């Protein structure tokens, strides 16, 4: 679905940042933005290098 979508977002809180998965859904280049909580962390700083981050 991300291949045909105009925009793609990831919604996840900080507890998901260091989780591993057996599957790779898509590359960060295809993600429009990550929507997450406002707590800053080292992992969030690294994600900001890969995609736009929206905090709320």
């Amino acid at each position: 679905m991300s291949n045909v979508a105009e925009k793609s977002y990831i919604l996840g809180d900080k507890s998901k940042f260091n989780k591993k998965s057996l599957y790779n859904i898509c590359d960060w280049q295809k993600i429009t933005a990550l929507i997450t909580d406002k707590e800053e962390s080292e992992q969030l700083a690294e994600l900001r290098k890969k995609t736009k981050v929206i905090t709320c």
Side-chain angles (χ1 to χ4, degrees):
M1 291 184 65
S2 65
N3 288 335
V4 296
E6 190 173 313
K7 295 181 180 183
S8 297
Y9 294 87
I10 295 176
L11 176 62
D13 65 16
K14 66 180 183 244
S15 69
K16 308 293 188 282
F17 289 169
N18 285 328
K19 302 290 181 183
K20 299 283 182 180
S21 176
L22 295 174
Y23 304 100
N24 183 16
I25 304 303
C26 67
D27 293 325
W28 282 106
Q29 294 83 6
K30 293 184 178 182
I31 302 299
T32 304
L34 165 67
I35 303 169
T36 189
D37 48 354
K38 287 187 178 185
E39 188 169 326
E40 287 295 320
S41 67
E42 194 174 303
Q43 294 87 5
L44 188 57
E46 287 298 314
L47 290 170
R48 286 184 190 279
K49 295 176 184 177
K50 297 179 183 182
T51 193
K52 180 179 179 180
V53 175
I54 301 170
T55 57
C56 52

